[in-house]
Every structure is written in structure tokens, then in C-alpha cells.
Amino acid sequence: MGGNGGGSQVFVGRSDEVARVRTVAGERGQVGRTLVVTGPRGIGRSSLLRAALTDFEGDLMWLSGSASSGSEPWAAVRNAGPTVRGVVDFARSGSDGLVASAVEDGLDPEELGRRITERYRAMPERSRPVVVVADDFHRCDPQSLALLVFLAHHNHTFDVSYVLSCPDEAFPPGAADLERLRLGGLGAAEAREALAGWTGRQVAAPVAEALARLTDGNPLLLREVAAHLDPDRLEGSRTLPFRLAVSATSRSVVAPDLERLTPRELRALACFPLGGTVPPVVLDGVTGSGPLASLLDRRLVEAVPGGYRPRRTASGWLAEDRLGHTARQDLAAALGTAWAGLDPVRSALHALDTPAPAPEVLARARRALAGADAAVDDRLAEALAWAVVGHADPPTTHDWLQLTARAERSGHLLDARDAFEQAVRAPAVDEADLPELTRWRGFLSQVADDRALAVPSEKLLSALELIRPAVVFETMTLTAWNSLLVGADVQARKYLDRARQASRSASLADRALWRLVDVSRQRAAGAARADTVREAALRWRDSSEGRGWYDDFLLATVLVEAGAHAEAEEHLFEAASAHRQAGRHATHFLTAARLQLEVATWRVGAARRTADELVDLALPGPVHVRGLDPALVRLETLTGLPPGTLHPGEAAYASEAPALAQARAERQLVDGRYREAVVGLQALARRQPPLPPEQRWLVLADLVEAQVADGEPAAGKQAHRAAGLPEPAGPGAVAAAARAAALVSPPLEIRPAFARALAVAEAEEGQVGRARALLALARRLGQLTAGPEADRLRDEAALVFAHHGLEGWRRHALALSWAPPAEDVQGRLLNSRLDEQQTRIVRLLMLGQKNKEVADRLYLSLRSLEKALTRIYAELGVASKAQMLALVRADGAVGGTTAVRDDEVLEA
């Protein structure tokens, strides 16, 4: 239970106790000290002494009591002879001879102690401390024990310290006034660390907590139990055995407690095999009040609010183990009856603890399981579900689905999946179970990112011809939803069409879900906008009641993706309250949805705290949470954390690949690895099937910015021109489109283009969106020799990023630098400060129109046009229209003749 650290053995969970033993042993002074280490059997007293004193810098005299030396006079002292004589000062004092003569002459232990003490007083001060260590000193022979206790009380000289140990129940009366250190059981955290050290595996926190509770934190019991558990159980993917393995070692820990009990007292103690509190009415109904009073007198049980509980949890299930088979069966039946009116789950669990329960007992267990609410102990409910499938012949689909639900609620995902597969293979499927079966198919296919699992079996599809249309509609809609979530859009459409055929009898909530699935499919294909998805999601939310936690999680992520951030926040608040007792997966998934919302709304401080919560809520095994991986990568980027801090390694989830690639491209852009970002974003832009239009606009904007930053503005213009995207709409898409257009705008139009981009970004994405556009403008101005202005804009963007905690973008902004300004054609055009009307005049002239045609088009008089041209020539530093057209055509200041369409001339 330890390892090496700093030259001494580290005792898990006992650092304070180790330090106390070492302090007593090593303290120098006129008076030696004594410490008696006690605790229950198996608590690790001997291990503690070894951990504290193995590399102790001093002389150790080890004595150890044993069963064989308990009756032979002076046996413990004689057996310690070699270690005692190894202490030079002790041998020089003549104490060795005194002990030898006492052994031969049968000297009284106290008289021998007084003589040794007198010899000590005559000795000069020593250079090293001496410590007498007596492990299990209660098992020493009476003479050696009396000598140890006398010297421990009179260690006033010669700087000798005494460290003794014994179990609680064997504490010698003569040592009652000595300083005492009592070892308690390991807590959950210490048990987890110890289990990981013993097994070499990760141990889930709930598993360590449960084992620490069942074994009272006793290291001996804990290690014994852990040796019989497979890795999946230790990691929390599967449930712990309802009854822990019992061995001779386990029995020895509580043997002194149980050996003195009468059969009735043992039966009373065995009423506590499940832990927890047992009401008086149950104990009275099973054993009467007499045995309970005896257990209270023996301090084996204690009174608590609501009843009684064992002082040591292990004594309950080990007492049950000591009962014979027949006695155990009788006790189970009696407990089943006694609990019937108080706790149906416990009652059914006890009643099923027989080889062949009656059919009515099994039916009662099914009713108890169906009626179990959030207040029922999850471990007991899961154990009852296992008992039902174990005794049913054969188990029904509903039996297996109950076990699936109970295993998931307890966090045992492998057990849940196994139970679901058994439900699919059950001989007959009741139509009422089909929607629930489909929901579990969707959840399990998502957490495993398993596309094949989302596809229903042929058996289910063939059964649809024989069931009610309303069930067909609900089942097929859920199946389409499952398929869409794993990226199987074609199958989703097929299942939606099948559901439509049975829509006449569908409920309002099912119709709303069908609409949400359909518009989500259309959006994935680019045929629906995010606001349409938002409306459908809110309609489903408002029309459905009693949704499961996973439906609420999916609804939250859909709202976040659709940009309905306020609605998503409100929904998550309500869902967290509704499902606060729904189990580990519910808490983890809803917390992950909150993290996605916080990242999407730039609240990185809150997102960091939520990410820390997720670490504490970690689930065993690889579990895919929709949208979580990209959100963690983005959070690393935004906060400037090193890669792998929050999202270690490569994700293996195929359905997350596009979003994860986009998040990593943003990281590369922030890190200044523009070429890598360009390659990744180009792959996303060419992806088949294509991304939704809103997401493609975001990809295009980042691609253009990466190409411009990489010194390839022409490539950015080409990518922008060739994108062929529909009109932008949806969360961030309009702002992204404006930023991309501004980045590729010619020098003459950069300022008005970015003015539009800044306004749109602030309206859609707030100050952070505006800062992104400011940074893009600074980058472009810096490349066009407007260095001082670019520096000012860059610094303004960096301040906004810093204010919102976006350390990654702040560092990126401050790392940007520009070449020294040089007056050239681009500089002249950039600094020309033409207004919008002057820019339109230049555009029309580049189209080859005459002055009169331009004047008519812009509703100007010819004289006004000529005055405007004079101002334009002065602004551009040219003397004629010919020189102006040559200048702007040479640099593409307004996109070149071929890039300007007639219908763009009057664009605002």
C-alpha cells in the first residue's frame, strides 16, 4: 500500500500518522516518549510501523509477540536478543546481562525494569536515539509484556522511546494511560489510491467509495476484495458483485466479533448484509428485541435516526456468510416479509434470494422495480434488476430494458450495453417496449459512436407491420433521429418517410420531434437554416413533457448549434434541476452541454470551471459525448493552454471529425501555423457530404484569413470567389461572410468593407466578434504598409481578447508584426480615403461607361461628376482619368475589370 518517496515508504492516506510515529521515535531530550498504535484487525498497524521506521536514523530494538510465544516466560525478550545486542550502548550498559540473569533466575519484571533504569541513568549521553518497537505486544508472554509496559512508563532517561502496537480489543489494561494513536479506516480518496497501487489500474472514484464503505476502509479487507474484481469492475464500467468474495483472511478480520455470538445474535447481525439503516420493526419481526439488545451491549450495532446500523459494515455481510444454507434461506424469506410494507425493492431483493422463487415473488419484484423512483438506492435497484433476469425463464424484453436503465443510471455502461443486446435478442418484443428499445439504441450508439448500432434489426422492422400506427410513428421517428446523429442522413430520410405513412395517429410531441429531425436533416444537406431548426427544437421542447435526461441533452446541443444561446441556457438550467438524481451519465452529459454553450458564447472563465467539473465527473472507459471534444479543443485554443491539457490525444469518434478538424484549424491559426490551417480548412471546404451552409461560411472565413496571413491574398480571393455558397444566414455565418469579403477586398475598398464587417460582427457576436474583425483588418492594413494604424487596431483587439480571458487570441494578436511602411501603389490606394460615392464612380468608369452615363446612373449633373473626378484625381495622386484607370487596373484596386459586375456598382 505504498511506494518510495523521499527515501521513506509512503503510506497511502496515513501521512500524518507516519509523521507522528517518526516524531516520537526521533525526538531527542531528557525524557523518552511512548506511543501505542491501535486499531481494528487488518487496519495496517504493522505496515505503518514499517513505513515509518524502515529508514529511521537510529537504533531499533524490534520485539514481536506471537501465538507461540504467548505462554513461555520471557520468550519475546529472548527472541529479540539479536536486535537488542546490536545496540552498542545497550550492550555496554550491562542491561544485556541483567536480562539474561532475569531470564535464568525468574526475576520479577518490575524489579528488572528498575535495575535497567538505574543502569540507564549512569550512561553518558548517546549520539543516536534508541527506539524499542513492539508489534502486537499484547501477544507477548506476561513477563515480557509487563517489562515493556513498566519501561514505557519510566522512560525518563537514556532517551529511549517506545512504539508499541496492538488491536483495539486486546489493549492491555496497564497501558491505558500511555499516549495512543488509533488508526481508522481509509477514506474514499485514500482507498482509491491504495487500490490503484495494488492493482496497477485506474479505479473509478464511485467504486473506491463503495468498496471503502463495504470494507470499513480496512486495508486487509480492501485488498482481499480487490483481488477478486476484474478490471471492468474496478474501472466502473460494470457493477460490483452484490455479495463480495469471502475468504479466510476476510473472516479473520471480524472473527473476534462473531465467534462470541449466539445463533440468534448472529441471525440479528446478518439482517444488515446490504448496509444502511434497518428499522426496529424489521429487526423485531425477524429476531425479536433480545438479540438486538445484546448486539447494542457488545457495541456491534448502534442506534441512528430511523433505526439501527452495524458499527462495522463488513460484520453484516460476514455474519450472513457464517449462517448455514438453510438458515440463510429462512432469513431471506423473513426479511422479504418484514421489509414488504417499508421498502418494496429491499423486500423483493431479499425474497428473490432463493434458488427458485415462486412466480408471484417474481411478479412482485417486477412491480417493485417498475415503481422504483429516484429515492431508491441505485445499487439495490440494479441488484434487483439482475435478480429478476437471473430468475425469469426466460427474461422478457422489458426485464432486460429495466436492467439496461438501472445499469446506466449507476454508471455501468458495459452492463447496460450487454443488457440492451439481450433485450434485442429476447424471444418476443411487446409493442409498448419498442420506443424505449429505440431510445436505448440511440443512446448506446452515440456513447460508442457506433453507426452500425443505430440501425434497427430486421426483426424490429418486420414487427412494425403488426403494431399500432402511433407506435410505428414514434419508433421510426426515433430511429431517424438516431441515424441522423451518427451521420447516416440517407437512412434518416428513409425512416422519416416510413414514419410519415403512420402519422395520422401520432401525438403532438411525436409530430414535433419528427419536424425537428426533418429540418435537422435538411440543414445538414444545406436546405434549411439554423433559425428553422431553432423553431422546431423549441416546438418539441414545449410540446413534450417528462423527457429523459438524454433527450434534454440532445435538445440543448441542438439549440447551441442553432445559435439559440439564451434558450439553451434556460433549458439547461431546467434540465439540471429535473435530472439532478438521474445518475452519473446524466450529470456528466448535461455538464458537457453547459461547457459547449459557454465556449460558444466566449465565457471561457466559466468554461474552465466547467471543464474541471467534468474531470471530477469522469466516466469509466471511452464515452463519446456529442460536441464535447471540439469544445475542449476550442477552449484550449481560446485560453492559450498547451495542446492536450483538456483534450488529450486523437479522438476516435468519426461523427465528430469535421467539428474537431475545424477546432484544430482554429488552433493552428492562433498558433501562427497558417499553412497547416490552410490545408485542414481546404479539406473541410471540399468535404463530401458538405457541411451545413452556416458552418461552411465559418470555414471559408478562417480559410481566407489563414491564406491572407500566410502571404497569399490571391489564393484567398480565389477561394472566396470559388466557394459558391448561398446567402449567409444563421449563427455567425453573416459575420463570417462579411469578414471573408473584407479580407479579399481590394485596397480602395478595404475600409468600407471592414466597416460593414465590424458592424455585423458586433451585432451578431458581440465585442469578441468585433475584435476578430479588428484583428483581420489590422492584418490586412499591416500587409498594405499602414503599419501605425494596424498597430493601433491590433492592440485594441488584444485588449478586448484579454478582457474576455481569450489568452490564446491575445497572444496571437500581440505576436503580429508588419514590414516597415513604404509608399507604393497599394499604399497610395489604401490611403486615398475615397468615400462610397467616389468608389462607385471609379467602378462605373472601369466598366467602360462614359462620364454622362455615370452621371445619369448616379443621378448627378455632369458638372458635379467632373468636380468629383477632380477630387478623386487629387486623392489618388494622378492628373487624368486615363492615369487613374491605369493605376487601379494595375493593382486591382477595385477587383479589376473582370471582377466588377454591373449589378454590384450601386451596392451599399
Side-chain angles (χ1 to χ4, degrees), residues 446 481 485 516 520 523 533-534 537 540 549-565 567-569 571-572 588-597 600 625-628 631 656 731:
Q446 271 289 291
W481 188 220
L485 291 173
L516 174 59
S520 297
R523 180 175 179 238
V533 177
R534 170 184 169 276
W540 181 47
W549 69 261
Y550 187 64
D551 284 343
D552 277 336
F553 163 76
L554 292 177
L555 181 55
T557 60
V558 168
L559 289 172
V560 171
E561 292 169 0
H565 297 149
E567 293 87 346
E569 186 147 24
H571 173 70
L572 278 172
H588 185 89
F589 274 64
L590 292 174
T591 304
R594 174 156 48 91
L595 174 70
Q596 296 174 47
L597 174 63
V625 181
R626 184 173 186 260
L628 178 59
E656 297 283 74

Side-chain angles (χ1 to χ4, degrees), residues 224-247:
E224 180 78 17
V225 168
H228 294 85
L229 298 178
D230 57 55
D232 288 340
R233 299 189 193 279
L234 288 172
E235 293 168 5
S237 297
R238 296 189 184 278
T239 185
L240 291 172
F242 188 62
R243 284 188 170 82
L244 300 178
V246 179
S247 66

Side-chain angles (χ1 to χ4, degrees), residues 15 30 59 78 81 171 191 201 335 352 445 448 493 557 566 577 596 612 620 630 639 647 717 747 765 803 825 852:
S15 56
Q30 294 299 316
D59 292 324
R78 282 202 307 271
F171 194 80
R201 297 184 177 278
L335 285 171
L352 283 179
S445 65
R493 181 170 184 174
T557 60
S577 176
Q596 296 174 47
D612 292 338
T639 54
H647 180 261
K717 291 180 182 179
E765 300 177 327
H803 176 73
V825 173
K852 188 176 185 311

Side-chain angles (χ1 to χ4, degrees), residues 95 99 107 193 313 327 347 410 467 581 592 625 640 696 771 810:
S95 298
V99 172
L107 195 65
E193 186 179 352
T313 305
S347 172
S410 299
I467 62 179
Q581 293 183 316
V625 181
R696 289 162 64 193
R810 186 192 73 85

Side-chain angles (χ1 to χ4, degrees), residues 348-569:
L349 192 56
H350 285 299
L352 283 179
D353 193 14
T354 58
E360 57 271 18
V361 172
L362 190 60
R364 181 158 56 92
R366 285 173 168 147
R367 289 194 299 272
L369 199 55
D373 56 19
V376 174
D377 187 319
D378 288 338
R379 181 170 179 263
L380 298 183
E382 186 181 7
L384 180 58
W386 278 108
V388 168
V389 299
H391 289 294
D393 186 22
T396 66
T397 299
H398 190 73
D399 292 337
W400 287 114
L401 287 177
Q402 284 279 14
L403 178 55
T404 303
R406 289 297 166 182
E408 178 277 319
R409 183 182 174 88
S410 299
H412 305 136
L413 205 54
L414 291 181
D415 283 339
R417 172 136 186 190
D418 290 349
F420 170 78
E421 291 175 351
Q422 292 292 338
V424 172
R425 292 195 291 266
V429 180
D430 191 291
E431 72 171 38
D433 294 324
L434 281 176
E436 191 67 13
L437 192 68
T438 308
R439 284 190 175 89
W440 281 113
R441 184 185 300 281
F443 169 71
L444 293 170
S445 65
Q446 271 289 291
V447 296
D449 200 43
D450 187 344
R451 187 166 178 167
L453 185 59
V455 178
S457 65
E458 290 299 326
K459 175 182 172 183
L460 183 146
L461 294 176
S462 62
L464 296 178
E465 304 299 331
L466 305 175
I467 62 179
R468 291 179 294 119
V471 177
V472 173
F473 185 87
E474 183 181 5
T475 302
M476 285 293 94
T477 301
L478 290 169
T479 303
W481 188 220
N482 298 342
S483 302
L484 188 64
L485 291 173
V486 295
D489 299 0
V490 176
Q491 289 91 334
R493 181 170 184 174
K494 180 180 73 173
Y495 299 137
L496 286 171
D497 291 343
R498 177 68 179 87
R500 187 190 288 115
Q501 297 172 15
S503 61
R504 181 170 301 177
S505 303
S507 67
L508 182 62
D510 290 341
R511 289 174 184 271
L513 178 58
W514 188 96
R515 171 66 176 162
L516 174 59
V517 178
D518 189 43
V519 297
S520 297
R521 180 193 61 79
Q522 292 179 44
R523 180 175 179 238
R529 293 185 173 184
D531 55 355
T532 308
V533 177
R534 170 184 169 276
E535 292 172 3
L538 294 176
R539 186 180 303 163
W540 181 47
R541 182 197 67 180
D542 296 339
S543 63
S544 58
E545 296 180 356
R547 290 181 305 273
W549 69 261
Y550 187 64
D551 284 343
D552 277 336
F553 163 76
L554 292 177
L555 181 55
T557 60
V558 168
L559 289 172
V560 171
E561 292 169 0
H565 297 149
E567 293 87 346
E569 186 147 24

Side-chain angles (χ1 to χ4, degrees), residues 873-889:
Y873 299 158
E875 200 58 56
L876 296 178
V878 297
S880 66
K881 182 167 77 172
Q883 289 181 3
M884 178 197 71
L885 294 177
L887 174 66
V888 295
R889 283 173 177 157

Side-chain angles (χ1 to χ4, degrees), residues 195-260:
L195 288 165
W198 294 331
T199 63
R201 297 184 177 278
Q202 290 293 324
V203 178
V207 172
E209 182 180 358
L211 291 178
R213 176 176 54 83
L214 291 170
T215 62
D216 305 298
N218 187 297
L220 185 66
L221 271 179
L222 196 61
R223 190 164 192 168
E224 180 78 17
V225 168
H228 294 85
L229 298 178
D230 57 55
D232 288 340
R233 299 189 193 279
L234 288 172
E235 293 168 5
S237 297
R238 296 189 184 278
T239 185
L240 291 172
F242 188 62
R243 284 188 170 82
L244 300 178
V246 179
S247 66
T249 305
S250 305
R251 294 186 181 96
S252 69
V253 172
V254 295
D257 295 340
L258 305 183
E259 287 173 353
R260 300 187 296 269

